């Protein structure tokens, strides 16, 4: 069994042991994912890049890791609930993005795909 599947099974088992599946419908999982992403953002709010570098070298790094884990857990549960293969979804999106953002037009630019001019 691969590592991702093991982690997914651990998360689902943790949820099921506590009888929380009844709370984990797609809407509430998406809301929870967004809330946890906001908590991750709070770790960086008002900080300079130098301050962030210092945090990442300190014991406070664990707070960021915990928030990243919360985001990942809810995303994995949402994919599980919707029967989405996260790796297939990512690969498909990379292909779509490569068409929307061809290297010849966007390399080194932060413009959105609809702001590029043909070269």
């Amino acid at each position: 069994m691969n590592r991702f599947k093991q982690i997914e099974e651990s998360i689902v088992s943790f949820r099921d042991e506590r009888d929380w599946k009844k709370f984990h419908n797609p809407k509430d999982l998406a809301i929870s994912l967004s809330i946890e992403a906001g908590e991750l953002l709070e770790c960086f709010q008002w900080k300079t890049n130098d301050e962030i570098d210092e945090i990442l070298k300190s014991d406070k790094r664990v707070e960021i890791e915990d928030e990243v884990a919360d985001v990942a857990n809810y995303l994995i549960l949402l994919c599980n609930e919707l029967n989405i293969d996260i790796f297939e979804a990512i690969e498909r999106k990379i292909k779509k993005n490569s068409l929307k953002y061809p290297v010849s037009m966007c390399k080194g630019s932060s413009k959105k795909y609809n702001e590029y001019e043909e070269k």
Side-chain angles (χ1 to χ4, degrees):
M1 179 183 307
N2 70 39
R3 179 128 191 236
F4 182 82
K5 201 67 180 160
Q6 289 174 327
I7 290 169
E8 180 182 33
E9 287 182 5
S10 293
I11 295 166
V12 169
S13 177
F14 179 90
R15 177 202 63 197
D16 291 348
E17 288 169 354
R18 287 152 182 82
D19 193 25
W20 289 348
K21 183 169 175 33
K22 59 188 168 194
F23 307 118
H24 287 186
N25 60 72
K27 173 190 68 80
D28 288 322
L29 288 169
I31 289 169
S32 297
L33 176 59
S34 181
I35 290 168
E36 293 300 337
E39 290 179 11
L40 175 60
L41 285 172
E42 281 184 317
C43 295
F44 300 98
Q45 187 178 25
W46 316 123
K47 309 258 186 327
T48 65
N49 287 337
D50 288 340
E51 290 170 323
I52 292 168
D53 288 343
E54 288 305 311
I55 289 170
L56 294 174
K57 295 174 189 171
S58 76
D59 292 343
K60 288 188 172 189
R61 178 187 180 93
V62 174
E63 294 173 30
I64 293 171
E65 291 174 355
D66 286 348
E67 296 305 335
V68 167
D70 287 340
V71 169
N73 287 340
Y74 279 117
L75 180 58
I76 290 168
L77 284 168
L78 181 62
C79 288
N80 179 271
E81 187 67 21
L82 297 174
N83 198 29
I84 292 172
D85 181 314
I86 193 168
F87 298 112
E88 286 180 16
I90 290 168
E91 288 174 348
R92 187 173 45 254
K93 185 62 177 179
I94 289 170
K95 287 177 185 174
K96 286 181 180 179
N97 284 345
S98 69
L99 296 174
K100 283 170 57 174
Y101 296 96
V103 173
S104 63
M105 294 176 69
C106 68
K107 188 171 185 173
S109 174
S110 63
K111 291 180 181 177
K112 192 170 177 179
Y113 67 92
N114 60 357
E115 297 175 317
Y116 291 115
E117 296 177 21
E118 290 290 332
K119 290 184 179 181

